[in-house]
Amino acid sequence: MALLSAVLPVYLGVRVYQQHQVEGRDQDILAAARQLALNFTSLDYRHYDRDAKNVLNMATGSFRQQFADQTSNLTKLVATNKSVSQGQILDAGIARADARSASVLVAVDSKVTNVAAPKGQARNYRLQVDLVLRSGRWLASNVEFVG
């Protein structure tokens, strides 16, 4: 019984510490996914280079390469159409997470104005953001439109 009363507090302390670690990791994952989704859906033709860099700074792997490859075409497209999109994160939830990777579902609303819709159009996006931990930062390795 004495052994149990000595071991139990240590066990419970370790469990509480582990739970705090997981909660902190999950908060970091959600913050990264939210920011990436916001950057991805908030673009302005007047400073698209800066906006694209914001996305690229939070990207890695094939997603980073695909976005970088499309940037020059997108720059021309948003300039020609005078596109402005301002995203607003509605909600985000972790679908799966471990110590090195995560998948997050993010609901985003956006108001888009351009030459075809000068008064703006509401757009709703549901994104799946896959993240990986690189050098202490959660970076997007893939972004997909879902639902």
Side-chain angles (χ1 to χ4, degrees):
M1 191 65 167
L3 179 61
L4 180 60
S5 62
V7 172
L8 186 59
V10 172
Y11 172 77
L12 292 175
V14 168
R15 295 286 297 169
V16 167
Y17 174 77
Q18 289 172 336
Q19 185 61 33
H20 285 300
Q21 292 293 99
V22 169
E23 288 171 4
R25 179 201 70 198
D26 288 355
Q27 289 174 358
D28 291 345
I29 289 168
L30 285 170
R34 286 173 176 268
Q35 188 62 55
L36 182 280
L38 184 63
N39 292 351
F40 191 68
T41 59
S42 298
L43 304 168
D44 188 323
Y45 75 96
R46 294 166 290 203
H47 41 78
Y48 184 76
D49 288 342
R50 181 197 68 197
D51 295 342
K53 284 180 187 173
N54 288 339
V55 173
L56 290 170
N57 286 337
M58 297 189 73
T60 191
S62 62
F63 171 66
R64 186 179 204 295
Q65 187 62 50
Q66 288 171 355
F67 193 86
D69 290 346
Q70 295 174 3
T71 297
S72 66
N73 288 337
L74 289 173
T75 300
K76 293 173 192 167
L77 183 64
V78 297
T80 300
N81 291 306
K82 296 186 178 183
S83 297
V84 177
S85 173
Q86 184 57 53
Q88 177 183 350
I89 306 302
L90 300 178
D91 204 0
I94 296 173
R96 178 197 55 74
D98 60 37
R100 310 284 312 152
S101 64
S103 182
V104 179
L105 300 174
V106 185
V108 184
D109 278 353
S110 180
K111 181 177 181 183
V112 178
T113 58
N114 54 39
V115 293
K119 292 185 181 184
Q121 292 179 329
R123 303 237 174 115
N124 309 98
Y125 303 106
R126 303 304 174 253
L127 303 173
Q128 178 179 319
V129 180
D130 294 329
L131 302 157
V132 293
L133 187 62
R134 296 278 189 269
S135 302
R137 293 180 59 215
W138 288 99
L139 301 174
S141 61
N142 192 41
V143 176
E144 292 182 42
F145 293 94
V146 295

